[in-house]
Amino acid sequence: MYCVAVTDVGVERPHNEDSCLVLGNAKNEETLLVVADGMGGYQGGDVASKIAVQNIRQVFLDHELSKPGAFERVYAQIDLDIRAQLQDTKGGTTCVAAVISNNTLTIANIGDSRAYLYREGFLQRLTKDDSLVQMLLDSERLTEAQANDFPKRNVIMKALGVGKETEPCVTKSSFIAGDLVLLCTDGLCGTLSDPELSQMLPDLTAFFE
């Protein structure tokens, strides 16, 4: 299995608030992937995203992440730790994590960072954004075409360290040889459409062959 983590500050902000992690456990044949996007505009966004990655990393190393309710507990702890460490400094983060184990892919997501599965030429989005745009799409008050130009498309309904909701959406799917899993912030999926991502991913797959 090949895993790569890449992060870039981009062109809009002076510093990078994203954190990411790729970690394998040879004993249990498990792989952990995490992407956390510090909330833009908050002074502590970079700190918040690091706290998220560090907490999930430790639970994974303690072999606790596969237990029922583990993601819910660690996300709640991340929220508490962000608030405790930053105190009067505002800070928050989205977080999407994936564990690959025994041909099973487990995803835990809060916010608008995403997980995708690319299999045999087809791209499937595995997460649903916790965003105002997604809420309006679900209620049919906004169309996909309108969503692209919606002025408040960056408004997030759930995140860690801010707000009241800390419970991630946890889903499971199969993982087979040849699959490609992509975790990304809105810096990527907010710039490239799903069809554009689908066209790009075969080049990444060929790179590892």
Side-chain angles (χ1 to χ4, degrees):
M1 183 183 298
Y2 294 94
C3 300
V4 175
V6 178
T7 182
D8 186 86
V9 68
V11 297
E12 294 186 3
R13 304 188 188 282
H15 64 281
N16 196 342
E17 294 180 316
D18 300 343
S19 297
C20 56
L21 173 70
V22 173
L23 184 62
N25 184 331
K27 181 179 179 180
N28 293 341
E29 296 184 347
E30 293 181 335
T31 301
L32 171 68
L33 312 171
V34 187
V35 168
D37 183 0
M39 298 286 285
Y42 290 113
Q43 298 178 31
D46 54 344
V47 175
S49 67
K50 287 182 175 65
I51 290 173
V53 168
Q54 290 166 357
N55 272 263
I56 297 173
R57 176 183 183 274
Q58 190 56 56
V59 175
F60 178 76
L61 291 175
D62 291 340
H63 310 295
E64 297 289 323
L65 204 53
S66 59
K67 294 184 178 180
F71 273 114
E72 290 83 353
R73 289 190 294 271
V74 71
Y75 275 50
Q77 187 61 53
I78 290 167
D79 183 78
L80 292 173
D81 289 350
I82 290 172
R83 296 174 190 272
Q85 184 162 333
L86 294 179
Q87 297 183 359
D88 294 333
T89 302
K90 291 183 179 179
T93 186
T94 71
C95 189
V96 57
V99 174
I100 303 170
S101 176
N102 297 324
N103 298 320
T104 299
L105 174 63
T106 304
I107 302 288
N109 180 64
I110 188 167
D112 63 350
S113 293
R114 292 180 182 173
Y116 291 89
L117 179 67
Y118 184 79
R119 177 183 292 172
E120 297 179 349
F122 295 94
L123 183 70
Q124 177 186 2
R125 191 189 304 181
L126 300 179
T127 55
K128 178 180 282 191
D129 296 344
D130 294 311
S131 66
L132 176 60
V133 164
Q134 188 62 57
M135 184 180 72
L136 294 174
L137 286 170
D138 290 344
S139 61
E140 298 184 349
R141 286 181 284 173
L142 200 67
T143 66
E144 290 286 354
Q146 292 171 330
N148 294 328
D149 299 316
F150 188 64
K152 296 183 179 180
R153 60 181 301 186
N154 293 327
V155 175
I156 298 174
M157 308 305 292
K158 291 172 63 178
L160 299 172
V162 291
K164 298 180 180 180
E165 295 290 334
T166 65
E167 186 170 345
C169 178
V170 180
T171 58
K172 292 181 181 291
S173 62
S174 64
F175 181 83
I176 61 177
D179 281 353
L180 191 152
V181 177
L182 172 67
L183 305 188
C184 64
T185 71
D186 66 335
L188 180 63
C189 58
T191 303
L192 299 178
S193 66
D194 286 6
E196 289 171 328
L197 284 173
S198 184
Q199 291 177 357
M200 177 192 73
L201 288 174
D203 294 332
L204 290 177
T205 304
F207 177 78
F208 298 118
E209 292 179 348

